[in-house]
Structure formats: structure tokens, C-alpha cells
């Protein structure tokens, strides 16, 4: 199943997917998560325009849609009854929905998202038992409760895969690459040592305050 950015000309097809998802949630005893008004057309249009809306396709058929963002999500700054697995950079999936007759949308979307950053946060309504089951089956951990814009609670999940990159690793790698570029043309022993160094093998505590004795700041 292919994942790509949604296109404006697909707006009405995407809205139809959301309308189907709204009706399905209500029919399955989950009338409050989206009801029949969320996500609204303006929100969906903005998602597409800002290139954070993605679709899952099989050939020309749109099978599902979701929003994917890498960066701080204000909704996730406050969490109760637990804590996030880490404070590393993360990606978020919102507004995920499957078209009628399509299966495996959540699994495929998460597999794709995990390849983009490897540290994913996601939430769902307490009445969405199917999504809770699938998230736990896919290795996601319940971290606590967060609250969406209207103040209603959601169960918060997170998963960190083996390809996730910590802040410290990003800092070390960035410094290492810059040093290697600086010494690329230096034909001496020190220059060769820098170019051949394994900077990712160094240890760093990204949360430790600089006491003036830390060589890399």
C-alpha cells in the first residue's frame, strides 16, 4: 500500500472517507469521538494545503487518510496519570480513517510513520476499543491521559523503535559531520583521525547542564 501526500483535487474523496468513518464510529458505540462534525471541511482543506495530510493508496483507489506531523504537539504537553516514554523528537498521527471496505490502514500508516522518525505518539478515545486493541498489538504503550482542544480526554500512546534518534545522538552526529568537513582537506595525522572517528560511539547526556568542563558543550 502506497503512502503519499494528499492532493487538493482529492478533497471530496477524502471528506467521503471521513464521513464514512464518522458513521462507522457512531454505529459501533463511539458517538462522541468525532460525532458527525469532526474533522470539518476547513480543517481537512488546511491539512492538505499545509502538506500534512497523507493518503494510503492501492493503484488509483484511496484506501485511507491521516495527518502526520513531526514536531511538538501542544496537545501532548500536558499528560496525566503517567508520562511519555521519552522527551526525544517525535512524530504524531491524527485524524486517521479508512475508506469503506479497506483494511490495514492503521498498521500501514504507523509502519510508514515509524520509518520517518521512529518515535511516534498517538491518542484515541476511550470508546474506540478497536484502535486501542490495534495500538497495543502493534507495540504501543499506554502513557497516560491527554486532553484535546474541547477538553475531552484521550488515551495517549507512544512507541520508540530501534531507528529512533535521540537529541544527544543528533547533536553528536551533527558536530561530527561538521568537524569531518573542516578537516577533509587536512593531510596530517590529526586530520585523518577526525575523518575516521566514530562520533556516534561517544556518550552524551543531552539533558545535562553545561558546567564549563564539557568539551562538546
Amino acid at each position: 500500500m502506497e503512502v503519499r501526500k494528499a492532493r487538493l483535487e482529492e478533497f471530496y474523496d477524502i471528506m467521503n472517507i471521513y464521513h464514512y468513518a464518522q458513521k462507522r464510529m457512531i454505529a459501533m458505540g463511539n458517538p462522541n469521538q468525532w460525532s458527525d462534525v469532526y474533522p470539518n471541511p476547513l480543517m481537512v482543506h488546511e491539512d492538505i494545503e499545509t502538506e500534512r495530510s497523507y493518503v494510503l493508496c492501492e493503484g488509483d483507489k484511496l484506501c485511507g487518510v491521516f495527518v502526520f506531523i513531526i514536531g511538538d504537539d501542544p496537545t501532548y504537553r500536558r499528560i496525566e496519570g503517567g508520562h511519555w516514554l521519552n522527551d526525544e523528537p517525535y512524530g504524531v498521527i491524527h485524524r486517521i480513517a479508512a475508506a469503506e471496505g479497506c483494511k490495514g490502514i492503521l498498521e500501514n500508516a504507523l509502519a510508514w510513520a515509524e520509518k520517518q522518525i521512529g518515535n511516534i505518539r498517538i491518542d484515541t478515545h476511550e470508546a474506540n476499543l478497536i484502535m486501542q486493541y490495534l495500538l497495543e498489538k502493534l507495540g504501543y504503550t499506554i502513557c497516560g491521559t491527554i486532553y484535546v482542544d474541547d477538553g475531552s480526554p484521550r488515551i495517549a500512546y507512544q512507541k520508540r523503535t530501534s531507528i529512533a534518534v535521540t537529541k544527544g545522538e543528533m547533536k553528536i552526529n551533527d558536530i561530527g559531520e561538521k568537524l569531518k568537513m573542516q578537516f577533509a582537506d587536512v593531510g596530517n595525522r590529526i586530520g585523518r583521525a577526525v575523518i575516521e572517528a566514530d562520533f556516534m560511539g561517544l556518550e552524551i547526556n543531552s539533558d545535562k547542564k553545561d558546567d564549563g568542563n564539557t568539551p562538546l558543550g
Side-chain angles (χ1 to χ4, degrees):
M1 194 174 291
E2 177 194 2
V3 176
R4 60 167 173 77
K5 289 182 180 179
R7 302 163 183 160
L8 279 175
E9 59 265 28
E10 296 168 326
F11 171 76
Y12 291 105
D13 292 327
I14 290 172
M15 285 305 306
N16 286 335
I17 293 175
Y18 281 129
H19 288 153
Y20 171 73
Q22 291 164 357
K23 293 176 182 178
R24 183 170 172 78
M25 282 187 186
I26 294 171
M28 296 186 71
N30 181 15
N32 300 316
Q33 182 172 352
W34 282 4
S35 67
D36 59 354
V37 296
Y38 180 93
N40 64 62
L42 288 177
M43 180 181 292
V44 174
H45 197 275
E46 183 181 5
D47 285 341
I48 300 172
E49 280 196 319
T50 55
E51 298 187 339
R52 62 191 181 196
S53 179
Y54 292 81
V55 292
L56 298 100
C57 310
E58 286 184 343
D60 295 331
K61 178 179 175 60
L62 294 190
C63 299
V65 60
F66 65 96
V67 167
F68 178 69
I69 304 167
I70 293 178
D72 180 52
D73 188 321
T75 308
Y76 291 161
R77 291 174 186 167
R78 172 192 171 198
I79 185 167
E80 295 182 351
H83 56 82
W84 296 112
L85 300 181
N86 55 59
D87 61 355
E88 300 163 11
Y90 62 90
V92 179
I93 283 185
H94 287 308
R95 299 189 275 285
I96 185 165
E100 185 173 5
C102 294
K103 299 183 181 300
I105 300 305
L106 180 63
E107 294 93 325
N108 279 279
L110 288 173
W112 175 87
E114 289 166 13
K115 292 178 182 177
Q116 311 308 307
I117 187 169
N119 194 33
I120 303 295
R121 296 181 184 182
I122 190 170
D123 65 85
T124 192
H125 195 278
E126 63 179 359
N128 197 333
L129 301 180
I130 293 178
M131 190 162 179
Q132 293 173 46
Y133 167 77
L134 290 173
L135 286 172
E136 292 178 36
K137 180 182 177 183
L138 294 169
Y140 281 74
T141 301
I142 296 177
C143 294
T145 301
I146 59 97
Y147 296 86
V148 294
D149 291 341
D150 66 2
S152 60
R154 296 289 187 272
I155 304 171
Y157 291 81
Q158 186 176 4
K159 179 180 178 182
R160 185 188 192 277
T161 71
S162 59
I163 66 169
V165 178
T166 67
K167 291 178 182 177
E169 288 168 346
M170 291 172 68
K171 184 176 181 180
I172 284 291
N173 190 54
D174 185 52
I175 292 172
E177 290 303 315
K178 289 179 179 177
L179 284 173
K180 288 181 181 182
M181 289 178 64
Q182 286 181 320
F183 282 87
D185 297 325
V186 177
N188 57 34
R189 181 173 57 83
I190 296 177
R192 289 195 302 274
V194 170
I195 293 171
E196 295 172 1
D198 178 14
F199 288 91
M200 293 303 290
L202 297 176
E203 294 183 0
I204 183 170
N205 182 347
S206 60
D207 297 323
K208 183 178 180 181
K209 293 183 179 179
D210 186 4
D211 59 3
N213 297 318
T214 306
L216 296 176

